[in-house]
Amino acid sequence: MQTFECFCNQRLFFESTQCPQCARRLGYDPQLRTIVAIEPAEGNFWTSVDESERGRYYRLCESTARFQACNWLISEDDASTRCRSCRLNETIPDLSDDANLQRWRSLESAKRRLLHTLLILGLPFEATDTDGHDALGFEYLEDQRSSPHVAEPDVLSGHRRGKITLNVAEADAHHMELKRAEMKQVSRTLLGHFRHEIGHYYWDRLISGTDLIDEFRAHFGDERIDYEQALNNYYAQPPAEGWHTSYISAYAQSHPLEDWAECWAHFLQTADTLETANGFSVTPSVRFDENFDAWIVEWMRVTVLLNELNRSMGLRDAYPIVLAPPVVDKLRFIRNVICLARAAR
């Protein structure tokens, strides 16, 4: 995540809604991909305080006024009452339940971080498009484990034909810790779920049915093998020893599509974290689209620093992963796919 500053030079954060120094209202402009300070204008419009951006007018997302759950702005020529992030939501939990409201806010915060990264990378995620692809949408669902009043006995996170489903319980810290231990996923996070599932969306959109499919299979394997049977086999048997020599995670070996999604999530994590490190002058600016090898080297340096910082605080390693050469090659392929998609827009 890049760093942000108010027009008064106060450092801001991606979730900021008010400047702690000048007390101006703040919002995220997805077109500029930055946080802007705004002030009331005529009607229900707001305008940028920054003189260089005068003439830009916005409306607040309805999720801001009703639930204090969004800081994204809507441009004046956009007729929607919801911002580009919130309009992707197809199903949300019952917000009359205070626990669900907090879960939903956490889900939305993670989703907006994901979408910011997609904007920076130049990847399409519009809810409607004219290219014949399935529209992207999100469903946040409860099941009977967290709410006895709903019909679904067991909601699993997943993706199907553009629709990403997440169990709202994933936004509970206690549930996340239990799942992290049960699934032996030391890096399991809410943001990681979004990054993984959006990987399936982009496989459908950027790989399936294209000239890239043969190269995909050379790196990840043949995705035409039975998906359900492959996952059943994975859960029935312990992960093979030595998986780390070819995969980014144990789960990645369950099926080629899961390997792709795990690597895609890791690529987004790397891009976002290095952007943050550069914003705080921890690392020089190295672009994956210009020098991928240097980008990977810088990532390895930063992860060593992250782990040592955590150890200094008595915490577990933030990044308990070693990138094997086959994994780096998979990440390089993803880099090439992203560059091709960006060039085609």
Side-chain angles (χ1 to χ4, degrees):
M1 180 62 65
Q2 69 194 77
T3 55
F4 305 98
E5 283 190 354
C6 183
F7 83 108
C8 69
N9 299 320
Q10 171 67 36
R11 185 181 292 279
L12 304 174
F13 302 96
F14 185 61
E15 293 81 10
S16 295
T17 58
Q18 185 178 37
C19 177
Q21 179 165 285
C22 70
R24 295 284 188 180
R25 180 124 197 186
L26 304 170
Y28 177 81
D29 181 335
Q31 183 175 351
L32 296 177
R33 303 190 296 278
T34 192
I35 300 291
V36 296
I38 54 177
E39 60 185 8
E42 293 184 7
N44 64 340
F45 287 97
W46 297 71
T47 188
S48 173
V49 174
D50 192 331
E51 289 295 334
S52 65
E53 298 296 337
R54 283 289 184 181
R56 282 185 176 272
Y57 290 91
Y58 307 99
R59 285 177 291 109
L60 303 180
C61 177
E62 69 175 23
S63 298
T64 305
R66 295 181 62 191
F67 306 109
Q68 295 76 54
C70 180
N71 68 339
W72 280 34
L73 301 171
I74 306 170
S75 62
E76 63 176 323
D77 58 349
D78 188 336
S80 177
T81 60
R82 297 189 296 168
C83 70
R84 288 182 69 186
S85 173
C86 289
R87 74 185 64 166
L88 298 177
N89 295 341
E90 296 186 9
T91 306
I92 61 175
D94 177 10
L95 300 184
S96 64
D97 182 334
D98 289 341
N100 275 345
L101 179 57
Q102 293 305 317
R103 293 177 185 124
W104 182 58
R105 285 172 175 162
S106 296
L107 288 161
E108 287 299 295
S109 179
K111 186 187 73 176
R112 287 193 298 273
R113 278 186 171 264
L114 167 73
L115 297 182
H116 170 76
T117 302
L118 301 183
L119 286 168
I120 293 293
L121 293 178
L123 292 169
F125 64 83
E126 293 81 5
T128 58
D129 66 76
T130 58
D131 299 326
H133 299 291
D134 292 308
L136 176 63
F138 293 84
E139 283 194 327
Y140 304 138
L141 302 179
E142 299 176 83
D143 64 27
Q144 292 176 356
R145 295 174 296 175
S146 58
S147 177
H149 306 294
V150 299
E152 292 290 338
D154 186 10
V155 170
L156 298 177
S157 297
H159 167 269
R160 183 176 177 81
R161 297 186 60 86
K163 185 176 297 182
I164 291 174
T165 300
L166 285 177
N167 189 327
V168 297
E170 294 289 350
D172 287 328
H174 180 65
H175 174 90
M176 181 65 76
E177 283 298 328
L178 290 176
K179 280 294 185 182
R180 184 180 288 124
E182 176 188 341
M183 307 297 288
K184 297 181 174 60
Q185 297 172 337
V186 295
S187 300
R188 185 185 182 99
T189 65
L190 190 56
L191 180 53
H193 281 323
F194 279 100
R195 288 169 172 159
H196 176 98
E197 299 304 340
I198 204 74
H200 289 299
Y201 171 75
Y202 282 116
W203 189 88
D204 285 351
R205 186 158 185 165
L206 304 178
I207 303 295
S208 180
T210 73
D211 293 339
L212 294 170
I213 194 65
D214 288 336
E215 189 175 355
F216 166 85
R217 289 169 182 162
H219 286 291
F220 296 92
D222 193 335
E223 82 291 350
R224 293 169 294 188
I225 65 174
D226 189 276
Y227 180 82
E228 290 189 11
Q229 186 60 52
L231 262 64
N232 288 337
N233 292 341
Y234 169 78
Y235 287 117
Q237 302 172 6
E241 292 293 332
W243 58 262
H244 57 277
T245 62
S246 300
Y247 298 96
I248 192 65
S249 69
Y251 183 61
Q253 64 186 320
S254 63
H255 189 275
L257 292 180
E258 296 303 330
D259 190 9
W260 159 269
E262 287 285 271
C263 287
W264 180 276
H266 193 274
F267 190 98
L268 297 191
Q269 173 186 269
T270 302
D272 202 0
T273 306
L274 283 180
E275 184 183 54
T276 303
N278 176 247
F280 283 91
S281 302
V282 174
T283 183
S285 177
V286 181
R287 294 173 57 97
F288 70 84
D289 54 348
E290 294 179 351
N291 191 335
F292 177 80
D293 291 328
W295 190 72
I296 288 293
V297 168
E298 197 57 38
W299 171 242
M300 292 178 177
R301 188 184 74 82
V302 168
T303 56
V304 170
L305 173 61
L306 283 172
N307 287 343
E308 289 302 319
L309 287 172
N310 269 26
R311 292 176 187 182
S312 296
M313 298 177 67
L315 302 174
R316 65 189 176 204
D317 285 357
Y319 188 78
I321 297 171
V322 176
L323 292 182
V327 175
V328 173
D329 288 340
K330 294 172 186 179
L331 295 175
R332 190 189 309 275
F333 173 69
I334 289 174
R335 172 259 194 195
N336 294 340
V337 171
I338 290 174
C339 290
L340 288 171
R342 185 161 56 186
R345 294 194 71 185

